[in-house]
């Protein structure tokens, strides 16, 4: 069993602080205190009303789930879904095992009783979609196993909960996501079904779905974790969520003495190897794409799962040495370690150097304690690309493990539709926006009608060069192509970003560089100087073949915001430059990290002579010239 009394005693000795945190979280659940996303924590009245949303002060209707339109109802469905996923039940089961205090098991079963009474199968928002049934089933099934020795578990209660799990499994299989909607939702549905079938093999309705669910999960593992280890949804948060659903099932299969499907174990290993290479020895976690803070199974009390937390959990189950090296031990990894096989499945990784993930479309350049990334991948997974952002060719920069230019985050799903639109758009990301339009065309909150297609022209990792373009603005009446060349020679501090706009007509062209909230900005002439705590850390110089106009905005309208958690945001600087002119046109940005010596660059000049681009600036006493001949045969400055 995953949650076991003997194992709990050993874990309590090794992880006393983490155990105390889980017991504290269980105490809140006993008192009906719940907090999700960036919303304030609330105390619900007892007995619990599982349909009431105290944030919006609305009650979701107790009617057929298929008739509830969660997109137009007054409340935020994400909040009520989170409550009804019952992911606090494993905390109550753990607290019962850690302390022996019956109040935790009593609360768990009292809440389960009321939930089952108020939520008959197919009735209410909690049953809106098989995905919710699947994710909830994981928590209920694992918690029930952890509470198996509680005096509160009667035969009647056991039968009632297992019947609910069987109904959930039936819905997960019958109404599973298919075709264009078969993203992480399908994995969640199959994982919930498989978890119930593994933990309750003697229940006939569950047992017959175990083999087809594992087979289908194995297939999805090959699709949703790409050959290079990147997530197909182009969203790090969803890559972690999807792989942890696979990880949960893998650990349960192994705990029951069986061999997990090799396709799933391989997917876990290649995903972990990719993520470990991305965070390296001390780089910040990536943030691209959507992130709804989803957990497959909450065994620790942490509100968010970090990449390093995730890697520690993967290492505990698969024995991946690369994940172990980059990961962090948590309460989750301690529970999951029981499924660790006797072999290491570690694969050769790229370490903490430069690399490109050709399928996921991410280039990483490392040198001089800096990490640069450039997005050269697709918009997202399948035709809706539901969780991708219009951030083609976006660049991020971190130095000495501190983020200087990053991704502004997700902000919102349903609570603030205007935030949702802005944070998916091109203007808020570190790329180029033409005529104020997104590169890809939004069709709805989780749908893109037209995808910008990226073409990688060349990559030279040894010289620090990435050259790519996208066709997102070919839809304009006077179409143009955006081509970006990132030039980051390992031997130099300054990084050059060249944006070439080719095509027809006059256009407004605008670069954006989103900065984390803790950074401040001063601006003069054609440059921004970024500081942290009063110390300059980055100089940004702007140039163009036209007349560049410097931009800086912080917390105004929909621009200049940073989101650390869903349904929350805080002001942050968004800087850049824009110009209006005829295509072809060139915008050039010099990103110059500043150290203790504060070595500034100056006198940036840009010229376009036919198909030849020349960028020139001064570093100290030296004049640097980069001749970018159509950006096809780039040579770094010596």
């Amino acid at each position: 069993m995953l949650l076991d009394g003997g194992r709990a005693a050993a874990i309590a000795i090794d992880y006393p602080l983490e155990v105390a945190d889980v017991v504290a979280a269980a105490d809140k659940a006993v008192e009906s205190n719940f907090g999700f996303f960036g919303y304030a924590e609330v105390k619900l009245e007892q007995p619990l009303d599982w349909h009431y949303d105290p944030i919006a002060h609305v009650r979701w209707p107790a009617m057929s789930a298929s008739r509830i339109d969660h997109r137009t109802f007054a409340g935020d469905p994400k909040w009520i879904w989170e409550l009804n996923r019952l992911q606090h039940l494993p905390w109550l089961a753990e607290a019962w095992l850690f302390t022996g205090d019956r109040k935790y098991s009593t609360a768990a079963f009292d809440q389960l009783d009321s939930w089952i009474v108020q939520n008959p199968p197919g009735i209410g928002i909690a049953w809106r979609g098989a995905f919710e049934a699947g994710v909830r089933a994981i928590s209920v099934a694992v918690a029930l196993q952890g509470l198996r020795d509680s005096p509160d578990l009667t035969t009647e209660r056991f039968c009632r909960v297992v019947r609910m799990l069987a109904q959930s499994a039936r819905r997960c299989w019958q109404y599973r996501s298919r075709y264009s909607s078969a993203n992480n939702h399908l994995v969640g549905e199959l994982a919930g079904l498989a978890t119930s079938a593994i933990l309750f093999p003697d229940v006939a309705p569950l047992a017959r779905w175990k083999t087809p669910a594992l087979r289908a999960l194995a297939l999805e593992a090959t699709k949703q974790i790409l050959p290079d280890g990147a997530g197909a949804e182009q969203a790090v948060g969803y890559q972690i969520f999807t792989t942890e659903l696979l990880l949960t099932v893998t650990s349960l299969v192994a705990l029951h003495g069986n061999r997990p499907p090799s396709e799933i174990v391989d997917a876990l290993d290649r995903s972990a190897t990719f993520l470990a290479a991305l965070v390296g020895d001390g780089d910040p976690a990536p943030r691209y794409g959507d992130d709804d803070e989803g957990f497959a199974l909450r065994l620790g009390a942490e509100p968010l799962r970090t990449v390093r937390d995730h890697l520690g959990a993967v290492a505990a189950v698969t024995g991946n040495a690369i994940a172990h090296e980059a990961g962090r031990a948590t309460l989750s990894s301690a529970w999951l370690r029981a499924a660790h096989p006797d072999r290491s499945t570690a694969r050769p990784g790229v370490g903490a150097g430069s690399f490109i993930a050709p399928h996921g479309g991410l280039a990483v350049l490392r040198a001089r304690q800096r990490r640069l990334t450039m997005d050269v991948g697709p918009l997202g997974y399948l035709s809706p690309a539901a969780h991708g952002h219009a951030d083609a060719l976006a660049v991020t920069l971190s130095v000495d493990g501190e983020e200087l230019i990053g991704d502004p985050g997700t902000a919102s799903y349903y609570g603030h539709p205007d935030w949702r639109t802005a944070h998916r758009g091109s203007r808020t990301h570190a790329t180029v926006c033409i005529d104020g339009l997104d590169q890809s065309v939004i069709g709805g909150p989780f749908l893109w009608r037209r995808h910008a297609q990226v073409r990688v022209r060349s990559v030279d990792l040894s010289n620090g060069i990435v050259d790519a373009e996208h066709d997102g603005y070919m839809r304009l009446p006077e179409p143009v192509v955006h081509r970006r060349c990132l030039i980051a020679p390992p031997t130099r501090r300054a990084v050059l970003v060249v944006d070439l706009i080719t095509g027809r007509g006059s256009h407004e062209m605008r670069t954006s560089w989103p900065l984390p909230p803790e950074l401040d900005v001063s601006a003069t002439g054609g440059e921004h100087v970024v500081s942290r705590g009063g110390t300059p850390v980055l100089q940004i110089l702007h140039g163009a073949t036209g007349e560049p106009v410097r931009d800086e905005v912080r917390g105004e309208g929909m621009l200049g915001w940073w989101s650390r958690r869903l349904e929350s945001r805080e002001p942050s600087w968004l800087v850049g430059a824009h110009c209006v002119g005829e295509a072809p046109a060139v915008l050039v940005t010099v990103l110059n990290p500043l150290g203790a010596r504060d070595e500034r660059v100056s006198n940036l000049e840009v010229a376009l002579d036919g198909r030849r681009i020349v960028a020139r600036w001064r570093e100290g006493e030296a004049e640097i010239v980069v001749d970018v001949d159509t950006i096809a045969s780039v040579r770094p400055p010596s």
Side-chain angles (χ1 to χ4, degrees), residues 532-545:
R532 179 187 293 111
T535 301
V537 292
L538 177 67
Q539 180 190 19
I540 306 177
L541 268 67
H542 309 281
T545 49

Side-chain angles (χ1 to χ4, degrees), residues 231-286:
E233 293 201 74
Q234 296 291 311
V236 173
Y238 279 94
Q239 178 172 351
I240 291 175
F241 177 60
T242 298
T243 50
E244 290 205 353
L245 288 165
L246 298 172
L247 188 71
T248 301
V249 173
T250 298
S251 64
L252 293 175
V253 170
L255 276 168
H256 284 73
N258 298 310
R259 184 182 296 275
S262 60
E263 296 91 341
I264 297 179
V265 177
D266 288 346
L268 292 171
D269 278 332
R270 66 177 179 268
S271 171
T273 300
F274 167 79
L275 291 172
L278 193 49
V279 297
D281 295 330
D283 290 320

Side-chain angles (χ1 to χ4, degrees), residues 443-459:
F446 300 93
L447 172 67
W448 294 90
R449 289 194 294 111
R450 188 186 187 282
H451 298 198
Q453 302 292 328
V454 174
R455 182 168 77 97
V456 177
R457 300 177 65 94
S458 65
V459 175

Side-chain angles (χ1 to χ4, degrees), residues 56 60 71 78 82 150 166 173 183 194 281 338 358 445 449 538 601 634:
W60 288 80
R71 291 183 174 86
K78 283 292 292 179
E82 202 71 19
S150 166
W173 186 253
N183 56 9
D281 295 330
R449 289 194 294 111
L538 177 67
V601 302
V634 178

Side-chain angles (χ1 to χ4, degrees), residues 24-46 48-58 76 78-80 82-84 88 91 111 565:
D27 285 333
K28 287 187 176 183
V30 169
E31 298 299 322
S32 303
N33 290 320
F34 297 100
F36 305 121
F37 315 123
Y39 293 121
E41 185 178 290
V42 296
K43 181 177 178 61
L44 300 181
E45 293 184 3
Q46 297 191 25
L48 284 168
D49 182 346
W50 297 98
H51 301 271
Y52 179 67
D53 174 358
I55 304 299
H57 304 290
V58 296
D76 182 349
K78 283 292 292 179
W79 195 96
I80 201 72
E82 202 71 19
L83 176 69
N84 282 273
H88 62 282
W91 289 341
Q111 291 184 18
R565 299 201 61 182

